Amino acid sequence: MLNPPSGPEPDDADLASLLLIRHVELALLRLFGEGLVSGTTHTCLGQEYVPVALAPLLGTADMVFSNHRGHGHYLALTGDAEGLLAEVLGRRGAVCGGAGGSQHLYTGGFLSTGVQGESLPVAVGAALRRARDGAGALALAFIGDGTWGEGAVYEALNLAALWRAPLVVVVEHNGIAQSTPTERQLAGSIGARAAAFGIAHHRSSTSEVASLRAELAPLLDQVRSGGGPLVVELDVPRLGPHSKGDDTRGAEELAELGARDWYRARAGASEERFAAWDAKQSALVDALVAEVVARPPSDGRARARSAAPQLTPVPPVAPPSAPAVPERVAENLNRALHELMAADPTVHLLGEDVSDPYGGAFKVTRGLSTRFGERVRSTPLSEGAITGVGAGLALAGERAVVEMMFGDFVTLAFDQLVNFAAKSVSMYGRRVPVPLLVRCPVGGRRGYGATHSQSPQKHLMGVPDLDLYELSPFHDAVPLVRHALSTGNPSVLFEDKVLYTERRFTGDTVDEVLRWRLDGGSALGPALGTAVVGPAGVDRPDAVVIAPGGLARRAVSALRSLLLEDELCVRLLVPARLYPLDADRLAELCGRAPAVVVVEDGTPGAGWGTEVAQALHTRLWSVLRAPVRVLTAADRPVPAAPHLEDEVFVRDEDVRRAVRALAEQVSEQVSAERLSAEYGEER
């Protein structure tokens, strides 16, 4: 139960902030009823005192993470009622240009997002960045009691406790999650859950701003001084509906909550002073609403006065001396990470078992923890959380590389990659850099079975602002990794596991009959241009094969057989970046070939190969003599037994057969066209 007013009167600043939040929230509900607010809006009526009590305890170096019910948090910290109203109403002057709306606000030191629990791992990353500075700053995340059903909460708390991150988790426990009472969905207690991780827990039921602030001030000071994370549980009433008008609680329960409202209690305790401030803030909000509603629509761009983060360039690395023997792909990637971390002290590496002496499941991270200390962290089995931590570090001005032990497990990080990292780049009405690289060992032929042998590239295709790359024996990992972390977009690097032990191609020679080069006309720069492989001096090949890096060796073997045994000159194209696809440049590199085969190790349907095929078919319509052929792995889980596994994946002979069949189809079509032309001339 909430205590009646017993503490000191709020001072003028606190009372003004409390009443500003109250009247903005009431105005938004009214505007929704008038049809002026679209979508949704979640008010914090009854909970206003929580952010008002906390605001003076937070500094400009702190980072605050909020949620769907974040208007009060934003207003208490910024006082920006105009920007918030414009944002929710989609009018000019909106803090995020109308792109974020009610649930997605960002100003540099404040960020809210609408997915429950999602921001907690991100907050851990932001807290690590602040701990590294050593200036006593912290990260604070607001969550609700319903959020404790999300697994991300526990992964994040475990990491925060292990690393003693300066993180404060404020739980606004209002006893109901949307429409379900907490006791029907939360077993045990929040305090016991915090205790399980060895995290300090403080619970309070006061609604008095000064009293709550006095309780929390020494606790936050302890977090700042290295005391580790803290969970603050506050018993608060939620007077309004979950969202708009969807309240299923009965009149009696709502009346009981209303009787405990701080607003009603304070109005009775200091009638004249309270009434004066209440009228003043009500009039202020009414005037703002009238002025904002009259504005033209927003243009999707955050207002100019909002702080826009800047992405600093990746420092250059010294050009390495050429190794006496061509490196293996894993050695090249390991060197790329060493050179990157040596040149850029803001780069962090996170992953399971990445530290020495183990050095990662495939030894790609060997030597890094010995050399770079705590910038390399072996983590628990928490793919979603470590990806979120990486995004938090990136959001805070660092760069992060996250290793998935197996690419199959990237599905456990899907929310952090798709809903947070990628969307954060542009959903706040400005470009927010998130320099995060997630490394994914993929593919089979190692006998690991269905859950450790997949090629999940297609599941991340088509996500705005999420870039996808793939290692190949033709591309140097040093510029690739550097480029991926320099764009400001989060990215995923797919690494075929079999490729790790193979040596890179150097010079311009594949073998005695095939040559290769990197396309100098690539928008990514010459070092990351598409690899072009084929017989020397062939301007118009009989066919083109397009394959990602993991299939490059098999495709090269097919090209050799096609040339020497079938007398077909075939060109192979191996792009470094899978998505976004540079379809125009790929079409140019096809060199007017009459047939194209796209090969991938993913399963059929909605994959990278079909994306490439569709893009090229429309661009090469006048040149192609046959539809673009897509060759994929079999449509079933990957078996463990080698002979069964071999039946699933694309083999070099499969590529050869597909090209030969297309070449025969083209030859038959050309012959038919010639006969038709001759017959037409005779007539």
Side-chain angles (χ1 to χ4, degrees), residues 242-608:
H242 167 73
S243 166
K244 305 164 296 190
D246 57 354
D247 206 330
T248 57
R249 294 172 293 181
E252 184 177 345
E253 183 179 359
L254 291 174
E256 180 184 343
L257 290 170
R260 296 157 51 193
D261 182 13
W262 67 266
Y263 179 92
R264 183 179 301 184
R266 278 300 166 196
S270 53
E271 294 184 14
E272 185 175 341
R273 175 172 174 264
F274 186 92
W277 271 107
D278 193 36
K280 180 178 179 179
Q281 296 302 80
S282 177
L284 171 66
V285 171
D286 286 345
L288 277 175
V289 167
E291 193 271 325
V292 169
V293 167
R295 294 178 184 179
S298 61
D299 59 5
R301 295 195 296 269
R303 63 186 182 193
R305 64 181 178 180
S306 297
Q310 299 296 316
L311 179 67
T312 58
V314 178
V317 297
S321 56
V325 177
E327 294 173 298
R328 299 187 190 278
V329 169
E331 294 170 341
N332 177 240
L333 181 55
N334 176 262
R335 178 167 64 85
L337 294 171
H338 271 276
E339 292 186 10
L340 177 73
M341 295 191 75
D344 188 349
T346 72
V347 175
H348 300 254
L349 173 69
L350 306 168
E352 297 154 10
D353 299 294
V354 295
S355 297
D356 294 328
Y358 196 67
F362 300 98
K363 312 311 170 191
V364 170
T365 60
R366 183 178 287 162
L368 291 169
S369 66
T370 300
R371 186 176 179 188
F372 301 109
E374 286 195 352
R375 287 167 56 202
V376 179
R377 293 179 184 264
S378 282
T379 69
L381 307 184
S382 302
E383 287 81 5
I386 62 177
T387 302
V389 170
L393 285 163
L395 190 73
E398 306 282 271
R399 289 181 170 88
V401 179
V402 172
E403 178 182 297
M404 298 284 126
M405 184 177 285
F406 286 84
D408 311 63
F409 308 156
V410 76
T411 55
L412 298 170
F414 198 83
D415 175 56
Q416 290 293 340
L417 270 174
V418 174
N419 280 329
F420 185 81
K423 285 186 174 61
S424 292
V425 173
S426 58
M427 79 171 173
Y428 295 106
R430 79 211 74 184
R431 184 163 179 80
V432 178
V434 185
L436 166 70
L437 174 63
V438 177
R439 295 183 38 246
C440 291
V442 297
R445 300 180 180 273
R446 297 286 293 261
Y448 294 146
T451 60
H452 291 65
S453 306
Q454 297 169 89
S455 296
Q457 290 89 327
K458 70 178 182 180
H459 300 301
L460 293 169
M461 289 279 295
V463 178
D465 298 315
L466 181 63
D467 297 342
L468 308 182
Y469 302 88
E470 184 156 341
L471 278 184
S472 89
F474 298 104
H475 294 96
D476 186 352
V478 175
L480 194 160
V481 169
R482 175 185 167 88
H483 172 83
L485 286 170
S486 68
T487 66
N489 282 3
S491 55
V492 180
L493 176 60
F494 297 103
E495 307 161 10
D496 188 274
K497 295 190 287 288
V498 171
L499 200 64
Y500 282 142
T501 57
E502 296 181 355
R503 297 199 182 275
R504 297 181 56 239
F505 290 111
T506 57
D508 63 355
T509 301
V510 174
D511 56 28
E512 73 276 13
V513 294
L514 297 176
R515 302 291 181 266
W516 74 278
R517 63 180 175 85
L518 293 180
D519 171 36
S522 169
L524 302 179
L528 297 182
T530 294
V532 183
V533 187
V538 177
D539 293 327
R540 187 179 184 187
D542 296 311
V544 167
V545 173
I546 303 175
L551 268 155
R553 289 278 185 180
R554 282 169 274 167
V556 164
S557 177
L559 257 66
R560 180 180 172 84
S561 298
L562 286 162
L563 179 63
L564 298 180
E565 300 178 32
D566 301 305
E567 298 183 347
L568 290 173
C569 292
V570 180
R571 177 177 297 168
L572 170 65
L573 303 178
V574 182
R577 188 177 70 187
L578 303 183
Y579 189 85
L581 183 68
D582 189 354
D584 290 335
R585 188 58 184 163
L586 269 182
E588 292 174 11
L589 293 174
C590 286
R592 298 185 63 79
V596 174
V597 177
V598 187
V599 189
E600 64 168 310
D601 264 340
T603 52
W608 178 76

Side-chain angles (χ1 to χ4, degrees), residues 26-45:
L26 290 173
L28 288 174
L29 287 177
R30 184 178 71 250
L31 290 164
F32 181 83
E34 296 171 1
L36 293 173
V37 174
S38 63
T40 187
T41 187
H42 306 81
T43 65
C44 66
L45 296 170

Side-chain angles (χ1 to χ4, degrees), residues 149-206:
E150 295 287 352
V153 172
Y154 305 98
E155 291 188 6
L157 290 178
N158 187 39
L159 293 174
L162 286 170
W163 298 335
R164 297 190 65 77
L167 173 70
V168 178
V169 180
V170 177
V171 186
E172 295 174 301
H173 191 161
N174 57 34
I176 185 168
Q178 191 150 337
S179 66
T180 305
T182 303
E183 63 267 18
R184 288 172 51 190
Q185 62 172 341
L186 184 67
S189 68
I190 290 172
R193 294 180 184 215
F197 294 102
I199 294 176
H201 171 262
H202 176 78
R203 184 170 186 174
S204 178
S205 59
T206 182

